[in-house]
Every structure is written in structure tokens, then in C-alpha cells.
mmCIF file of all heavy atoms in Angstrom:
data_model
loop_
_atom_site.group_PDB
_atom_site.id
_atom_site.type_symbol
_atom_site.label_atom_id
_atom_site.label_comp_id
_atom_site.label_asym_id
_atom_site.label_seq_id
_atom_site.Cartn_x
_atom_site.Cartn_y
_atom_site.Cartn_z
ATOM 1 N N ARG A 305 198.766 37.569 148.655
ATOM 2 C CA ARG A 305 198.652 38.516 149.783
ATOM 3 C C ARG A 305 200.037 38.761 150.403
ATOM 4 O O ARG A 305 200.379 39.891 150.755
ATOM 5 C CB ARG A 305 197.697 38.000 150.843
ATOM 6 C CG ARG A 305 196.240 38.122 150.470
ATOM 7 C CD ARG A 305 195.340 37.799 151.666
ATOM 8 N NE ARG A 305 193.965 37.599 151.266
ATOM 9 C CZ ARG A 305 193.099 38.573 151.011
ATOM 10 N NH1 ARG A 305 193.477 39.826 151.097
ATOM 11 N NH2 ARG A 305 191.850 38.287 150.664
ATOM 12 N N GLN A 306 200.830 37.715 150.527
ATOM 13 C CA GLN A 306 202.171 37.842 151.100
ATOM 14 C C GLN A 306 203.108 38.630 150.182
ATOM 15 O O GLN A 306 204.086 39.229 150.646
ATOM 16 C CB GLN A 306 202.775 36.461 151.392
ATOM 17 C CG GLN A 306 201.986 35.637 152.394
ATOM 18 C CD GLN A 306 201.800 36.338 153.724
ATOM 19 O OE1 GLN A 306 202.743 36.838 154.305
ATOM 20 N NE2 GLN A 306 200.561 36.390 154.186
ATOM 21 N N LEU A 307 202.831 38.615 148.875
ATOM 22 C CA LEU A 307 203.695 39.298 147.911
ATOM 23 C C LEU A 307 203.114 40.619 147.419
ATOM 24 O O LEU A 307 203.607 41.196 146.446
ATOM 25 C CB LEU A 307 203.981 38.372 146.719
ATOM 26 C CG LEU A 307 204.743 37.092 147.064
ATOM 27 C CD1 LEU A 307 204.924 36.228 145.835
ATOM 28 C CD2 LEU A 307 206.083 37.412 147.709
ATOM 29 N N SER A 308 202.111 41.116 148.106
ATOM 30 C CA SER A 308 201.494 42.378 147.688
ATOM 31 C C SER A 308 202.488 43.538 147.724
ATOM 32 O O SER A 308 202.363 44.485 146.946
ATOM 33 C CB SER A 308 200.274 42.686 148.548
ATOM 34 O OG SER A 308 200.650 42.881 149.894
ATOM 35 N N TYR A 309 203.478 43.471 148.592
ATOM 36 C CA TYR A 309 204.484 44.536 148.663
ATOM 37 C C TYR A 309 205.284 44.649 147.360
ATOM 38 O O TYR A 309 205.861 45.693 147.066
ATOM 39 C CB TYR A 309 205.436 44.323 149.848
ATOM 40 C CG TYR A 309 206.412 43.188 149.678
ATOM 41 C CD1 TYR A 309 207.692 43.421 149.183
ATOM 42 C CD2 TYR A 309 206.046 41.879 149.992
ATOM 43 C CE1 TYR A 309 208.592 42.372 149.022
ATOM 44 C CE2 TYR A 309 206.930 40.844 149.833
ATOM 45 C CZ TYR A 309 208.197 41.090 149.346
ATOM 46 O OH TYR A 309 209.066 40.050 149.181
ATOM 47 N N LEU A 310 205.273 43.579 146.553
ATOM 48 C CA LEU A 310 205.946 43.621 145.249
ATOM 49 C C LEU A 310 205.073 44.250 144.170
ATOM 50 O O LEU A 310 205.554 44.544 143.080
ATOM 51 C CB LEU A 310 206.323 42.205 144.799
ATOM 52 C CG LEU A 310 207.414 41.493 145.579
ATOM 53 C CD1 LEU A 310 207.524 40.043 145.129
ATOM 54 C CD2 LEU A 310 208.747 42.208 145.394
ATOM 55 N N GLY A 311 203.789 44.391 144.464
ATOM 56 C CA GLY A 311 202.852 44.923 143.474
ATOM 57 C C GLY A 311 201.919 43.870 142.910
ATOM 58 O O GLY A 311 201.219 44.116 141.933
ATOM 59 N N ALA A 312 201.911 42.684 143.522
ATOM 60 C CA ALA A 312 201.019 41.610 143.081
ATOM 61 C C ALA A 312 199.633 41.846 143.669
ATOM 62 O O ALA A 312 199.465 41.884 144.881
ATOM 63 C CB ALA A 312 201.545 40.254 143.530
ATOM 64 N N LYS A 313 198.676 42.064 142.795
ATOM 65 C CA LYS A 313 197.281 42.232 143.212
ATOM 66 C C LYS A 313 196.442 41.343 142.300
ATOM 67 O O LYS A 313 196.606 41.376 141.077
ATOM 68 C CB LYS A 313 196.821 43.679 143.047
ATOM 69 C CG LYS A 313 197.542 44.668 143.909
ATOM 70 C CD LYS A 313 197.001 46.063 143.646
ATOM 71 C CE LYS A 313 197.793 47.108 144.399
ATOM 72 N NZ LYS A 313 197.294 48.458 144.122
ATOM 73 N N ILE A 314 195.556 40.547 142.903
ATOM 74 C CA ILE A 314 194.726 39.665 142.087
ATOM 75 C C ILE A 314 193.243 39.947 142.306
ATOM 76 O O ILE A 314 192.844 40.496 143.326
ATOM 77 C CB ILE A 314 195.015 38.174 142.340
ATOM 78 C CG1 ILE A 314 194.659 37.767 143.773
ATOM 79 C CG2 ILE A 314 196.454 37.824 141.990
ATOM 80 C CD1 ILE A 314 194.691 36.272 144.031
ATOM 81 N N ASP A 315 192.473 39.541 141.333
ATOM 82 C CA ASP A 315 191.016 39.583 141.426
ATOM 83 C C ASP A 315 190.615 38.347 142.229
ATOM 84 O O ASP A 315 190.646 37.230 141.727
ATOM 85 C CB ASP A 315 190.428 39.544 140.017
ATOM 86 C CG ASP A 315 188.915 39.565 139.998
ATOM 87 O OD1 ASP A 315 188.284 39.039 140.939
ATOM 88 O OD2 ASP A 315 188.372 40.076 139.004
ATOM 89 N N TYR A 316 190.258 38.536 143.489
ATOM 90 C CA TYR A 316 189.982 37.413 144.380
ATOM 91 C C TYR A 316 188.742 36.626 143.964
ATOM 92 O O TYR A 316 188.704 35.408 144.118
ATOM 93 C CB TYR A 316 189.885 37.885 145.834
ATOM 94 C CG TYR A 316 191.223 38.358 146.353
ATOM 95 C CD1 TYR A 316 191.495 39.708 146.487
ATOM 96 C CD2 TYR A 316 192.216 37.446 146.674
ATOM 97 C CE1 TYR A 316 192.732 40.136 146.939
ATOM 98 C CE2 TYR A 316 193.454 37.867 147.128
ATOM 99 C CZ TYR A 316 193.709 39.216 147.257
ATOM 100 O OH TYR A 316 194.936 39.639 147.699
ATOM 101 N N ASP A 317 187.754 37.304 143.420
ATOM 102 C CA ASP A 317 186.563 36.590 142.943
ATOM 103 C C ASP A 317 186.913 35.686 141.761
ATOM 104 O O ASP A 317 186.486 34.531 141.700
ATOM 105 C CB ASP A 317 185.459 37.571 142.546
ATOM 106 C CG ASP A 317 184.903 38.332 143.740
ATOM 107 O OD1 ASP A 317 184.913 37.771 144.865
ATOM 108 O OD2 ASP A 317 184.463 39.483 143.560
ATOM 109 N N LEU A 318 187.694 36.202 140.820
ATOM 110 C CA LEU A 318 188.122 35.396 139.674
ATOM 111 C C LEU A 318 188.996 34.239 140.138
ATOM 112 O O LEU A 318 188.860 33.112 139.668
ATOM 113 C CB LEU A 318 188.876 36.266 138.666
ATOM 114 C CG LEU A 318 189.424 35.566 137.430
ATOM 115 C CD1 LEU A 318 188.296 34.904 136.627
ATOM 116 C CD2 LEU A 318 190.192 36.565 136.565
ATOM 117 N N ASN A 319 189.890 34.509 141.079
ATOM 118 C CA ASN A 319 190.760 33.457 141.599
ATOM 119 C C ASN A 319 189.950 32.300 142.171
ATOM 120 O O ASN A 319 190.254 31.147 141.924
ATOM 121 C CB ASN A 319 191.698 34.012 142.673
ATOM 122 C CG ASN A 319 192.592 32.957 143.263
ATOM 123 O OD1 ASN A 319 193.318 32.262 142.569
ATOM 124 N ND2 ASN A 319 192.506 32.795 144.571
ATOM 125 N N ARG A 320 188.911 32.618 142.919
ATOM 126 C CA ARG A 320 188.124 31.578 143.603
ATOM 127 C C ARG A 320 187.376 30.655 142.651
ATOM 128 O O ARG A 320 187.014 29.546 143.032
ATOM 129 C CB ARG A 320 187.166 32.224 144.591
ATOM 130 C CG ARG A 320 187.895 32.798 145.792
ATOM 131 C CD ARG A 320 186.961 33.376 146.840
ATOM 132 N NE ARG A 320 187.745 34.058 147.861
ATOM 133 C CZ ARG A 320 187.709 35.368 148.078
ATOM 134 N NH1 ARG A 320 186.903 36.135 147.382
ATOM 135 N NH2 ARG A 320 188.462 35.906 149.015
ATOM 136 N N VAL A 321 187.136 31.078 141.417
ATOM 137 C CA VAL A 321 186.410 30.232 140.457
ATOM 138 C C VAL A 321 187.328 29.661 139.377
ATOM 139 O O VAL A 321 186.855 29.004 138.452
ATOM 140 C CB VAL A 321 185.229 30.993 139.802
ATOM 141 C CG1 VAL A 321 184.224 31.400 140.859
ATOM 142 C CG2 VAL A 321 185.721 32.190 139.001
ATOM 143 N N THR A 322 188.622 29.918 139.491
ATOM 144 C CA THR A 322 189.571 29.461 138.472
ATOM 145 C C THR A 322 190.321 28.232 138.953
ATOM 146 O O THR A 322 191.090 28.300 139.905
ATOM 147 C CB THR A 322 190.576 30.576 138.118
ATOM 148 O OG1 THR A 322 189.855 31.704 137.620
ATOM 149 C CG2 THR A 322 191.575 30.103 137.092
ATOM 150 N N ARG A 323 190.078 27.122 138.273
ATOM 151 C CA ARG A 323 190.791 25.868 138.562
ATOM 152 C C ARG A 323 191.151 25.206 137.243
ATOM 153 O O ARG A 323 190.270 24.907 136.444
ATOM 154 C CB ARG A 323 189.917 24.935 139.391
ATOM 155 C CG ARG A 323 189.771 25.374 140.822
ATOM 156 C CD ARG A 323 188.930 24.402 141.645
ATOM 157 N NE ARG A 323 188.839 24.830 143.027
ATOM 158 C CZ ARG A 323 187.988 25.763 143.461
ATOM 159 N NH1 ARG A 323 187.158 26.341 142.634
ATOM 160 N NH2 ARG A 323 187.966 26.091 144.739
ATOM 161 N N GLY A 324 192.439 25.001 137.025
ATOM 162 C CA GLY A 324 192.886 24.269 135.846
ATOM 163 C C GLY A 324 192.671 24.981 134.528
ATOM 164 O O GLY A 324 192.684 24.350 133.481
ATOM 165 N N LYS A 325 192.497 26.307 134.553
ATOM 166 C CA LYS A 325 192.319 27.083 133.332
ATOM 167 C C LYS A 325 193.398 28.150 133.238
ATOM 168 O O LYS A 325 193.839 28.683 134.253
ATOM 169 C CB LYS A 325 190.958 27.777 133.312
ATOM 170 C CG LYS A 325 189.767 26.850 133.278
ATOM 171 C CD LYS A 325 188.469 27.627 133.175
ATOM 172 C CE LYS A 325 188.204 28.385 134.446
ATOM 173 N NZ LYS A 325 186.907 29.044 134.503
ATOM 174 N N GLU A 326 193.789 28.474 132.010
ATOM 175 C CA GLU A 326 194.739 29.558 131.813
ATOM 176 C C GLU A 326 194.017 30.883 131.985
ATOM 177 O O GLU A 326 193.001 31.139 131.325
ATOM 178 C CB GLU A 326 195.351 29.476 130.415
ATOM 179 C CG GLU A 326 196.427 30.498 130.171
ATOM 180 C CD GLU A 326 197.153 30.271 128.876
ATOM 181 O OE1 GLU A 326 197.405 29.114 128.524
ATOM 182 O OE2 GLU A 326 197.463 31.274 128.219
ATOM 183 N N VAL A 327 194.529 31.704 132.888
ATOM 184 C CA VAL A 327 193.868 32.982 133.166
ATOM 185 C C VAL A 327 194.863 33.976 133.765
ATOM 186 O O VAL A 327 195.820 33.582 134.437
ATOM 187 C CB VAL A 327 192.659 32.772 134.115
ATOM 188 C CG1 VAL A 327 193.110 32.347 135.491
ATOM 189 C CG2 VAL A 327 191.794 34.009 134.195
ATOM 190 N N LEU A 328 194.631 35.238 133.480
ATOM 191 C CA LEU A 328 195.402 36.316 134.094
ATOM 192 C C LEU A 328 194.609 36.792 135.307
ATOM 193 O O LEU A 328 193.492 37.300 135.168
ATOM 194 C CB LEU A 328 195.610 37.461 133.099
ATOM 195 C CG LEU A 328 196.479 38.612 133.562
ATOM 196 C CD1 LEU A 328 197.916 38.142 133.817
ATOM 197 C CD2 LEU A 328 196.460 39.722 132.530
ATOM 198 N N LEU A 329 195.150 36.588 136.495
ATOM 199 C CA LEU A 329 194.464 36.928 137.738
ATOM 200 C C LEU A 329 194.739 38.345 138.224
ATOM 201 O O LEU A 329 193.995 38.867 139.044
ATOM 202 C CB LEU A 329 194.874 35.963 138.858
ATOM 203 C CG LEU A 329 194.442 34.520 138.743
ATOM 204 C CD1 LEU A 329 195.031 33.711 139.899
ATOM 205 C CD2 LEU A 329 192.938 34.403 138.728
ATOM 206 N N SER A 330 195.801 38.964 137.739
ATOM 207 C CA SER A 330 196.183 40.275 138.261
ATOM 208 C C SER A 330 195.153 41.335 137.885
ATOM 209 O O SER A 330 194.501 41.261 136.841
ATOM 210 C CB SER A 330 197.575 40.670 137.782
ATOM 211 O OG SER A 330 197.732 40.449 136.408
ATOM 212 N N THR A 331 195.034 42.306 138.761
ATOM 213 C CA THR A 331 194.124 43.423 138.521
ATOM 214 C C THR A 331 194.799 44.429 137.585
ATOM 215 O O THR A 331 196.031 44.435 137.455
ATOM 216 C CB THR A 331 193.755 44.107 139.848
ATOM 217 O OG1 THR A 331 194.946 44.594 140.463
ATOM 218 C CG2 THR A 331 193.019 43.156 140.767
ATOM 219 N N PRO A 332 194.013 45.297 136.954
ATOM 220 C CA PRO A 332 194.604 46.276 136.025
ATOM 221 C C PRO A 332 195.638 47.196 136.664
ATOM 222 O O PRO A 332 196.578 47.633 135.992
ATOM 223 C CB PRO A 332 193.388 47.072 135.537
ATOM 224 C CG PRO A 332 192.238 46.147 135.694
ATOM 225 C CD PRO A 332 192.548 45.333 136.930
ATOM 226 N N ASP A 333 195.509 47.463 137.955
ATOM 227 C CA ASP A 333 196.450 48.372 138.609
ATOM 228 C C ASP A 333 197.656 47.658 139.228
ATOM 229 O O ASP A 333 198.522 48.300 139.816
ATOM 230 C CB ASP A 333 195.738 49.211 139.675
ATOM 231 C CG ASP A 333 195.147 48.366 140.797
ATOM 232 O OD1 ASP A 333 194.756 47.209 140.539
ATOM 233 O OD2 ASP A 333 195.061 48.875 141.927
ATOM 234 N N ALA A 334 197.746 46.353 139.071
ATOM 235 C CA ALA A 334 198.884 45.596 139.613
ATOM 236 C C ALA A 334 200.144 45.904 138.817
ATOM 237 O O ALA A 334 200.097 46.057 137.600
ATOM 238 C CB ALA A 334 198.590 44.097 139.563
ATOM 239 N N THR A 335 201.255 45.997 139.516
ATOM 240 C CA THR A 335 202.533 46.215 138.822
ATOM 241 C C THR A 335 203.234 44.891 138.517
ATOM 242 O O THR A 335 204.229 44.874 137.804
ATOM 243 C CB THR A 335 203.465 47.113 139.651
ATOM 244 O OG1 THR A 335 203.651 46.540 140.947
ATOM 245 C CG2 THR A 335 202.867 48.504 139.800
ATOM 246 N N VAL A 336 202.716 43.799 139.063
ATOM 247 C CA VAL A 336 203.226 42.455 138.803
ATOM 248 C C VAL A 336 202.080 41.630 138.221
ATOM 249 O O VAL A 336 201.001 41.577 138.807
ATOM 250 C CB VAL A 336 203.748 41.784 140.096
ATOM 251 C CG1 VAL A 336 204.103 40.335 139.863
ATOM 252 C CG2 VAL A 336 204.941 42.544 140.642
ATOM 253 N N LYS A 337 202.291 41.044 137.058
ATOM 254 C CA LYS A 337 201.280 40.182 136.452
ATOM 255 C C LYS A 337 201.236 38.866 137.222
ATOM 256 O O LYS A 337 202.271 38.312 137.593
ATOM 257 C CB LYS A 337 201.598 39.889 134.985
ATOM 258 C CG LYS A 337 201.648 41.114 134.109
ATOM 259 C CD LYS A 337 200.275 41.720 133.968
ATOM 260 C CE LYS A 337 200.316 42.903 133.011
ATOM 261 N NZ LYS A 337 199.160 43.736 133.089
ATOM 262 N N VAL A 338 200.023 38.360 137.450
ATOM 263 C CA VAL A 338 199.826 37.079 138.118
ATOM 264 C C VAL A 338 198.958 36.220 137.205
ATOM 265 O O VAL A 338 197.862 36.634 136.823
ATOM 266 C CB VAL A 338 199.157 37.244 139.501
ATOM 267 C CG1 VAL A 338 198.965 35.880 140.161
ATOM 268 C CG2 VAL A 338 199.982 38.163 140.396
ATOM 269 N N ALA A 339 199.454 35.037 136.855
ATOM 270 C CA ALA A 339 198.746 34.173 135.916
ATOM 271 C C ALA A 339 198.711 32.734 136.399
ATOM 272 O O ALA A 339 199.548 32.305 137.187
ATOM 273 C CB ALA A 339 199.415 34.232 134.549
ATOM 274 N N VAL A 340 197.723 32.016 135.896
ATOM 275 C CA VAL A 340 197.636 30.567 136.068
ATOM 276 C C VAL A 340 197.839 29.969 134.682
ATOM 277 O O VAL A 340 197.161 30.374 133.729
ATOM 278 C CB VAL A 340 196.264 30.131 136.624
ATOM 279 C CG1 VAL A 340 196.174 28.615 136.692
ATOM 280 C CG2 VAL A 340 196.013 30.754 137.984
#
């Protein structure tokens, strides 16, 4: 949320259920990829 000005957008529902797994959290329209 603090870095949204850079283009970081995540799927908040996916984020909330992701723990200790490799996953791409960024939304399709994000200009910055966000991964775990």
C-alpha cells in the first residue's frame, strides 16, 4: 500500500491466504511485479 505510487498492486485476497509458498501477488494491471 505504501509503494502503490510505484505501481505495486497486489491481490489482497491471495495475499491473505499465502504463507510460505512461492506466489506472484501482483495484479495483472500492476507495473511492478510483487512476489513471495
Side-chain angles (χ1 to χ4, degrees):
R305 284 189 194 280
Q306 299 303 311
L307 297 178
S308 64
Y309 72 94
L310 291 172
K313 296 180 185 179
I314 64 170
D315 179 329
Y316 292 104
D317 293 330
L318 178 59
N319 179 55
R320 289 183 188 114
V321 298
T322 300
R323 287 182 178 81
K325 296 183 291 187
E326 185 171 321
V327 67
L328 184 64
L329 293 176
S330 47
T331 60
D333 62 329
T335 56
V336 172
K337 299 292 184 195
V338 180
V340 176

